[in-house]
Amino acid sequence: MANEFLNMLIQLGLASTALALLVLALRLPLRHYAGAEISYKAWLILPLTMFAMLLPHRVYQDSFTGLSIPIAQLAGVADAIELPAGRNWSSLVLCLWLSGSFIMLAWLVLQHHRFLRNLGELTKHQDFYLARGIDAGPALTGLLRTRIIVPGDFFQRYTAEEQALIIAHEKIHRHRGDLIANTLFALLQCLFWFNPVIHIAARVFRFDQELACDARVIIQYPQARRTYAEAMLKTQLHFTVSTTSTISTIACHWQSHHPLKERIMHLHQAHPSLLQRIAAYFLLFAVGGFSAYSAWAATPASQVNADNTPGLAKETVQADSYLLATSITVGGKTSSPRILVKQGREASFTVRMDEQQSKWDFSFTLKTPTTGNTQDAVMVEMIVKKDGVVITKPSLLVNLDQAAKVQQRTPEHLNDFDLSLTASLLKKGDKF
């Protein structure tokens, strides 16, 4: 279980890194061609593709005599990052990984609470809140109850027109759900806390978010570019080192570490034409669709259902369904295919290292134990063949969700193999 979860995290980590690099490469050309709003939407490729990786595969077959493909293909992309055998090692790595994630999550939560505490007592003014201090805000905070926060000297620091632009900016954040996007990206940073690419991508993502928001404000107030730039400058002048330490990763901040010069220069970019936007959306759709399908297709789908029992294909029989998670080492190479097995039927697969090496056949039949605890165990009858010759026929009483091992050592080491399997009950009384 730990090894499977760790492999899933590794696959998601590799995918998120590749996707972040892809978006980082696309964002500038998209921004120059189609504007900041579409460039910001390119980040949707990241969560949508990662979600596609978790979608189920159609990998079960009703009638099946054997699977004869290279063993590397059985394990999918995970074989490129095959971990050394051993549950303890995998569990240790998983424990360290998740410990780092929880530590970073705790740090982000404390950072956000510190930000809220430093706001002080809030005073409501129409549709926004006035903070006590002058270093708080403008910002948008609160996932369930969003609130626009402005500094204590909001009415003295900004003109009436600048105030309207600032409130419009924060309302756009709220309307687009940017707080949810920030939270999801922060969770991604926690999950892959050791990956610098994810942290760089998070910083760039929030910058693109601000540029997209700026662009939307200018569309609403096309004659207010200069006033908007002056409001940015006034805010940045109050941005101090002490303010930096109290910024929340989740909240949407007007004042932040985003380059002021680039934001002001971007205010003068012409609004893209309809044709440019359509072409950009088509590109995003094509790239996003290709990325999602490729990631889904590359996700290991090594479960097979092999029915080799004559005369049972059209019967309706009540039987339990089990998932056998195996780890097979033959000829010094290891892979971990998974097999869906229904009680009383034989499931098998064939593996071959390469064209020059021998063909190994493994078949499994699961039965109810005749003795012992029949609720938490299953009898596994195996047949192992090499080049069509039966090597061994072991029978194992396997406790559910616990690993059992079969090893064979011969003097010539020609018929050596190591097999570890874990049986998990998927469904009671399934019909087939």
Side-chain angles (χ1 to χ4, degrees):
M1 184 64 69
N3 188 50
E4 290 183 9
F5 188 49
L6 184 59
N7 278 335
M8 182 188 70
L9 286 178
I10 293 174
Q11 293 155 19
L12 289 174
L14 292 175
S16 62
T17 301
L19 292 168
L21 292 173
L22 173 64
V23 178
L24 288 172
L26 286 175
R27 55 182 288 272
L28 288 180
L30 275 175
R31 189 203 303 170
H32 292 308
Y33 179 75
E37 290 188 275
I38 295 180
S39 177
Y40 175 55
K41 291 177 181 178
W43 288 102
L44 285 172
I45 295 175
L46 185 58
L48 293 179
T49 303
M50 295 183 69
F51 175 76
M53 295 179 64
L54 303 178
L55 294 177
H57 288 228
R58 179 68 177 94
V59 295
Y60 303 123
Q61 301 180 15
D62 294 330
S63 182
F64 188 68
T65 58
L67 183 66
S68 180
I69 59 176
I71 196 168
Q73 295 182 21
L74 279 172
V77 297
D79 271 13
I81 46 175
E82 191 73 41
L83 298 173
R87 283 180 73 182
N88 292 337
W89 192 89
S90 298
S91 300
L92 177 61
V93 173
L94 182 61
C95 182
L96 292 174
W97 188 323
L98 296 181
S99 296
S101 297
F102 284 123
I103 290 173
M104 183 166 182
L105 178 62
W107 180 77
L108 291 180
V109 171
L110 290 174
Q111 182 189 54
H112 184 67
H113 279 291
R114 183 180 179 185
F115 163 74
L116 295 178
R117 186 175 63 251
N118 288 340
L119 293 177
E121 183 180 355
L122 300 177
T123 305
K124 185 172 177 58
H125 285 268
Q126 297 179 351
D127 53 355
F128 61 89
Y129 290 82
L130 192 69
R132 174 177 294 180
I134 63 173
D135 291 331
L140 181 71
T141 185
L143 278 176
L144 300 179
R145 183 188 174 192
T146 58
R147 293 186 294 184
I148 298 174
I149 311 296
V150 296
D153 61 346
F154 182 67
F155 297 107
Q156 294 76 32
R157 187 192 309 180
Y158 303 102
T159 65
E161 187 176 5
E162 290 169 351
Q163 294 169 21
L165 293 173
I166 291 173
I167 299 303
H169 178 102
E170 300 304 333
K171 285 183 176 179
I172 291 170
H173 277 308
R174 180 166 58 189
H175 178 73
R176 287 192 317 203
D178 286 342
L179 287 174
I180 298 176
N182 288 350
T183 302
L184 292 177
F185 221 122
L187 292 176
L188 187 66
Q189 288 180 270
C190 292
L191 189 59
F192 303 108
W193 51 271
F194 52 84
N195 190 342
V197 174
I198 298 299
H199 295 296
I200 293 172
R203 185 184 181 97
V204 175
F205 162 78
R206 294 185 183 96
F207 179 47
D208 288 347
Q209 183 182 92
E210 292 301 317
L211 289 181
C213 203
D214 294 341
R216 176 53 53 182
V217 172
I218 295 302
I219 291 176
Q220 294 180 2
Y221 301 90
Q223 306 302 322
R225 298 176 191 269
R226 181 180 179 85
T227 305
Y228 195 64
E230 290 174 350
M232 286 184 184
L233 182 59
K234 289 179 181 180
T235 303
Q236 195 71 18
L237 290 176
H238 286 77
F239 185 65
T240 63
V241 176
S242 60
T243 309
T244 306
S245 61
T246 59
I247 282 182
S248 169
T249 304
I250 299 173
C252 297
H253 296 271
W254 176 286
Q255 59 182 36
S256 65
H257 51 264
H258 304 317
L260 178 62
K261 181 179 178 181
E262 188 171 355
R263 287 185 67 182
I264 292 178
M265 290 179 61
H266 188 266
L267 297 179
H268 300 283
Q269 181 176 349
H271 187 62
S273 66
L274 178 62
L275 183 60
Q276 287 176 305
R277 283 178 284 152
I278 292 176
Y281 278 122
F282 179 79
L283 174 64
L284 283 183
F285 180 80
V287 173
F290 178 78
S291 299
Y293 178 77
S294 299
W296 175 81
T299 304
S302 55
Q303 300 176 354
V304 293
N305 181 24
D307 180 6
N308 292 328
T309 307
L312 293 180
K314 297 182 179 179
E315 295 182 7
T316 300
V317 183
Q318 294 288 340
D320 297 339
S321 297
Y322 295 88
L323 178 66
L324 283 185
T326 66
S327 177
I328 303 170
T329 301
V330 180
K333 295 185 179 180
T334 303
S335 189
S336 304
R338 294 178 295 169
I339 311 157
L340 179 68
V341 185
K342 292 189 177 180
Q343 186 180 8
R345 287 200 177 185
E346 183 181 84
S348 65
F349 58 86
T350 300
V351 296
R352 186 193 296 268
M353 295 306 167
D354 51 48
E355 295 299 328
Q356 290 73 35
Q357 295 192 3
S358 300
K359 181 181 71 172
W360 289 77
D361 298 291
F362 296 86
S363 61
F364 305 85
T365 303
L366 273 61
K367 298 182 178 179
T368 302
T370 56
T371 59
N373 188 348
T374 61
Q375 298 297 323
D376 299 322
V378 65
M379 180 64 70
V380 180
E381 296 182 354
M382 296 175 51
I383 300 177
V384 181
K385 298 180 181 179
K386 179 182 178 182
D387 293 331
V389 179
V390 176
I391 301 299
T392 182
K393 295 182 177 181
S395 296
L396 303 175
L397 180 62
V398 179
N399 291 325
L400 295 181
D401 300 317
Q402 295 185 16
K405 294 185 178 182
V406 179
Q407 295 181 330
Q408 175 162 297
R409 296 289 182 267
T410 58
E412 301 83 6
H413 300 292
L414 296 178
N415 297 330
D416 291 357
F417 71 88
D418 292 287
L419 188 147
S420 174
L421 60 88
T422 303
S424 301
L425 180 63
L426 290 182
K427 191 174 183 182
K428 293 286 292 183
D430 193 18
K431 291 185 178 182
F432 62 93

